[in-house]
Amino acid sequence: QKEVEQDPGPLSVPEGAIVSLNCTYSNSAFQYFMWYRQYSRKGPELLMYTYSSGNKEDGRFTAQVDKSSKYISLFIRDSQPSDSATYLCAMRELTGGGNKLTFGTGTQLKVEL
Amino acid sequence: GAVVSQHPSWVICKSGTSVKIECRSLDFQATTMFWYRQFPKQSLMLMATSNEGSKATYEQGVEKDKFLINHASLTLSTLTVTSAHPEDSSFYICSAPQARQGGYEQYFGPGTRLTVT
């Protein structure tokens, strides 16, 4: 079993839809959670960074963490074609691991006109 | 936010030659940098941790003699793919952590696409 599970998609939604992206994890030592967006042939870009259970909102993006269920989500409201990309969840332990991130496989999202 | 650059952005080389990829943190210092490899439609796989002033730490299964890492300064790490072969063709991405509230935030470079012919 992988430490981080993420549905690879592809996920196709119409413009304006609410998108829900999810990851589950098995390592209870993970305490920091991130969502990255990666356009084709580009490096990942940090979207959200959280370290506590609950919701964190930034514009059209909301990150949700449920440590008791080992489940994190990213919601995108009013999705736009420019949101079409691969979304990667990433996690890190509180101490140890040397700041290494463990990534999910990424979910490919396509927002259609 | 912090900026990490990579050079070159893409490179084509012949089998058997060596290729050097640079990773720079432009507006902050990084004692540690990370090198990743990404195959098409797959996630990032950590190859090694680059440590300024000391040896790199390689992940299991990564040949340290093939992927030479040098962290020459607090803003520069290099990855040299030695005696490259077609199977080394991939997208190589570096990242550098910067301290922020609650921990560290990883900033990624734009990646280097290597094609070995």
Side-chain angles (χ1 to χ4, degrees):
Chain A
Q1 182 189 8
K2 293 181 182 178
E3 277 192 298
V4 180
E5 297 279 357
Q6 184 178 9
D7 188 338
L11 178 62
S12 183
V13 300
E15 183 179 9
I18 297 175
V19 176
S20 173
L21 305 167
N22 312 293
C23 287
T24 59
Y25 62 97
S26 58
N27 185 353
S28 57
F30 288 142
Q31 295 293 319
Y32 297 96
F33 306 91
M34 287 134 280
W35 285 96
Y36 287 86
R37 177 175 62 195
Q38 186 178 24
Y39 292 111
S40 181
R41 298 173 181 250
K42 301 290 184 184
E45 170 194 10
L46 182 66
L47 287 177
M48 301 289 284
Y49 175 96
T50 59
Y51 55 90
S52 58
S53 285
N55 293 350
K56 181 179 180 181
E57 189 173 319
D58 184 0
R60 295 186 296 113
F61 300 93
T62 299
Q64 190 175 79
V65 174
D66 182 347
K67 291 186 180 179
S68 62
S69 301
K70 297 189 178 66
Y71 187 89
I72 68 170
S73 299
L74 177 70
F75 299 97
I76 306 174
R77 291 183 298 280
D78 188 24
S79 56
Q80 303 295 310
S82 59
D83 294 328
S84 299
T86 296
Y87 290 80
L88 298 148
C89 64
M91 313 182 182
R92 184 169 65 79
E93 296 179 8
L94 177 62
T95 58
N99 293 319
K100 289 195 297 186
L101 296 179
T102 300
F103 283 89
T105 53
T107 298
Q108 186 179 354
L109 171 66
K110 183 174 183 180
V111 181
E112 299 179 333
L113 290 168
Chain B
V3 179
V4 175
S5 70
Q6 278 184 245
H7 178 80
S9 57
W10 60 271
V11 58
I12 301 173
C13 71
K14 291 185 177 181
S15 186
T17 62
S18 295
V19 174
K20 179 185 285 189
I21 303 170
E22 291 185 349
C23 176
R24 292 181 185 274
S25 55
L26 297 186
D27 51 0
F28 66 102
Q29 294 182 331
T31 56
T32 301
M33 291 184 178
F34 299 94
W35 286 97
Y36 296 83
R37 184 173 179 175
Q38 187 178 35
F39 290 105
K41 298 189 176 182
Q42 293 188 25
S43 190
L44 285 75
M45 297 300 296
L46 181 65
M47 297 176 65
T49 302
S50 173
N51 304 300
E52 190 269 336
S54 64
K55 292 182 179 180
T57 304
Y58 291 82
E59 296 299 302
Q60 191 173 12
V62 177
E63 299 176 60
K64 60 182 179 181
D65 294 330
K66 182 168 184 61
F67 299 99
L68 300 179
I69 291 173
N70 182 26
H71 201 132
S73 72
L74 289 172
T75 60
L76 173 64
S77 174
T78 60
L79 168 68
T80 301
V81 183
T82 62
S83 186
H85 291 282
E87 58 265 30
D88 298 323
S89 299
S90 188
F91 194 50
Y92 292 87
I93 309 174
C94 69
S95 74
Q98 187 182 42
R100 60 169 291 163
Q101 182 184 8
Y104 287 85
E105 191 169 308
Q106 292 279 357
Y107 289 92
F108 284 83
T112 297
R113 183 159 302 281
L114 170 64
T115 301
V116 184
T117 61

